[in-house]
Amino acid sequence: MKDRITKNPVCEFATLVAAVCAITQLTSTAIARPIGVDVSSYQGTPNWGSAASCGVVFAFAKATEGVSINDGDFSYNMNNGKAAGVYMGAYHFAHPNLNSPGSEDSHFWGVAGGYIKNDGKSIMPVLDFEVFSGVVGASSYSAWANAWCDDVSNDAQNNGVNVRPILYTSACNGCDFNSTVSQWISWIADYNGQSAQTGTPWSTCSSCNVWGGDNWDLWQYTDAASTCGISGGADGDVFNGSTADLQATILIANAPAQPNYASCVGPISMNANGTLEIFGVGANTDIWHKWQTSPNSGWSSWTDLNNPRSIAGPAVSRDLNGTLQVFVATQGGNIWHNYQFVGGGWNGWVSQGGTGITNLVAVTN
């Protein structure tokens, strides 16, 4: 993004030829992957009608940074972008090294909350994570990002809106996170010179993809796109799918409701201590968990174990140590695995690969 303060030279190195290829004029030509841009006050006041006429389908506008900085053109961009028919989302530039996730969420929501609504024009809010020099108020970069996204989700829910935030990071900085952040929509920056319509952001640092395999939702493929209605260069983005896929994935109007617990009860298993544990898929497609706190009567409340877009499972079994092992299939038939630590707590979801798998059984031999 235009206000990034650090750059990974491995991720952002490109040859002169690749750079020239990346500076392209957006047109209204029919394309498979919808084109987007992200802007801040560095782009001034774009002509959103012109941008839309040249094929811009979606855009993200900077709202806030840290706990005190507001973007002066945020309201202009959100209002005029939506009026031109562009799907608009708000992003927050994080300083995890200086502030707690809760304090940065409060600042962001105070500025952007009124624009995060179920109006058919708003897309999911974004955490722009580019600073990796320590964390405040969390144990790791993943914990900080998860806490911020959870807080924003709760803020939205309190306003009657369901969201699933987007996490922006570079391909190589993906190695600074663990698989627990795979619950959020991915937006990966990699200026590798590949075609935005056929390439992938994971040509660089592919081992850092905590979302698994070659999975990605959004790709910032250049910071030098020539875009109608926007003076100077802008960050160019694409969504990994069709416009219908984009609407189903990042349009707030299509976000799933919170779980109806009466309909999400699934497998029941027993852990090493003989405690009954219940798992199921909620209406928000996350895996939910509830456990027995005392024989016959005592139960915990439901806990969201995340891993959205579940289409099969969960399948639950115990390993040799009595540890509960949970498996689920997500869209595309990829298998994800999570396990419970002895004494409580969860490892986090890790992809096991696979394609087109829709029936799961977990068995202890």
Side-chain angles (χ1 to χ4, degrees):
M1 296 184 177
K2 285 298 178 186
D3 42 3
R4 66 173 54 83
I5 62 176
T6 59
K7 293 190 177 183
N8 187 316
V10 176
C11 292
E12 300 192 353
F13 173 82
T15 63
L16 178 61
V17 173
V20 171
C21 291
I23 303 174
T24 56
Q25 176 71 32
L26 301 180
T27 69
S28 57
T29 304
I31 53 178
R33 295 176 178 173
I35 286 289
V37 294
D38 55 273
V39 298
S40 67
S41 56
Y42 285 90
Q43 281 73 45
T45 53
N47 182 328
W48 286 105
S50 179
S53 70
C54 285
V56 173
V57 174
F58 67 96
F60 295 101
K62 183 180 180 182
T64 52
E65 179 175 340
V67 295
S68 60
I69 298 174
N70 300 335
D71 190 276
D73 293 316
F74 171 66
S75 295
Y76 170 88
N77 285 322
M78 294 297 286
N79 291 329
N80 288 277
K82 289 182 179 181
V86 177
Y87 297 125
M88 298 295 299
Y91 79 83
H92 171 77
F93 188 95
H95 285 279
N97 59 321
L98 300 177
N99 312 300
S100 69
S103 62
E104 295 213 3
D105 158 68
S106 295
H107 178 54
F108 171 74
W109 190 260
V111 173
Y115 296 90
I116 299 172
K117 58 181 71 175
N118 186 354
D119 59 1
K121 303 174 183 178
S122 303
I123 51 182
M124 302 297 179
V126 177
L127 175 61
D128 179 0
F129 210 117
E130 304 182 43
V131 178
F132 295 90
S133 55
V135 292
V136 173
S139 59
S140 65
Y141 296 123
S142 294
W144 201 101
N146 290 336
W148 189 93
C149 291
D150 283 337
D151 286 346
V152 168
S153 298
N154 291 334
D155 291 334
Q157 187 178 355
N158 290 336
N159 277 12
V161 180
N162 298 305
V163 302
R164 179 182 165 213
I166 298 166
L167 176 60
Y168 169 98
T169 192
S170 74
C172 294
N173 282 137
C175 280
D176 290 298
F177 297 104
N178 61 40
S179 62
T180 61
V181 303
S182 64
Q183 63 189 287
W184 314 117
I185 298 168
S186 60
W187 182 8
I188 309 303
D190 188 4
Y191 310 152
N192 57 18
Q194 292 188 2
S195 166
Q197 290 302 308
T198 59
T200 172
W202 293 113
S203 67
T204 304
C205 298
S206 59
S207 63
C208 296
N209 187 0
V210 295
W211 285 268
D214 188 38
N215 292 328
W216 57 275
D217 296 297
L218 295 151
W219 173 19
Q220 185 184 83
Y221 64 92
T222 180
D223 63 353
S226 179
T227 309
C228 297
I230 301 178
S231 59
D235 293 335
D237 307 291
V238 290
F239 177 82
N240 191 15
S242 65
T243 298
D245 295 328
L246 179 150
Q247 293 167 339
T249 304
I250 66 173
L251 187 64
I252 290 177
N254 292 329
Q258 293 302 303
N260 175 353
Y261 300 125
S263 67
C264 75
V265 175
I268 299 177
S269 190
M270 183 180 295
N271 70 13
N273 298 322
T275 300
L276 290 175
E277 314 252 353
I278 306 175
F279 300 85
V281 180
N284 67 344
T285 71
D286 285 3
I287 301 301
W288 289 76
H289 171 227
K290 187 173 186 176
W291 65 94
Q292 194 177 39
T293 58
S294 62
N296 300 322
S297 60
W299 290 88
S300 71
S301 59
W302 286 97
T303 299
D304 190 345
L305 296 182
N306 302 308
N307 202 49
R309 293 183 284 181
S310 304
I311 62 171
V316 183
S317 190
R318 290 169 56 184
D319 67 8
L320 186 62
N321 298 320
T323 302
L324 287 179
Q325 309 282 329
V326 182
F327 302 85
V328 65
T330 57
Q331 289 182 359
N334 297 315
I335 304 304
W336 290 76
H337 170 227
N338 199 350
Y339 63 88
Q340 190 179 45
F341 297 126
V342 175
W346 292 87
N347 175 69
W349 294 99
V350 177
S351 175
Q352 299 296 316
T355 302
I357 300 172
T358 57
N359 294 294
L360 295 177
V361 178
V363 179
T364 301
N365 69 17

